[in-house]
Amino acid sequence: MITLNISAPILRDSIRDHLEESEEAKYTYLGMIGPIEMQFSVNLDDARQAISTTKRIIRNIPYGNIIMFRVLLDGQFFENGPVYRPGDREYAATRPGRM
């Protein structure tokens, strides 16, 4: 299981619905961790596959290919950056909605 943080200023309900209905992977909505950031767990073991699958699903919803959104592993500041774990002092900074 991988935990993903998805930031989207608009279409959050549509993104959530499409991810939870996905047949490519099993997504479980964990909640909001900031004003525009949702958290999901996904049943894939490969982080790159989880991110690319999630982005593909979002891009395939109406207007999904033109909205701004970001998909990161829980504990990342930016794509391809280091992943901090709970207990690391940097981890709290990756979750600004809960500081």
Side-chain angles (χ1 to χ4, degrees), residues 26-82:
K26 171 85 170 107
Y27 290 87
T28 304
Y29 176 72
L30 301 176
M32 297 292 293
I33 60 169
I36 65 169
E37 195 163 14
M38 302 175 284
Q39 191 170 64
F40 291 85
S41 67
V42 60
N43 71 338
L44 300 173
D45 293 326
D46 180 33
R48 285 188 175 165
Q49 181 187 8
I51 290 171
S52 65
T53 299
T54 303
K55 287 180 177 182
R56 185 173 57 254
I57 292 169
I58 294 172
R59 286 187 184 114
N60 285 326
I61 67 173
Y63 305 107
N65 60 342
I66 60 172
I67 65 168
M68 184 179 76
F69 66 91
R70 181 177 67 181
V71 179
L72 297 174
L73 297 171
D74 185 40
Q76 269 186 324
F77 283 108
F78 52 89
E79 197 168 328
N80 298 321

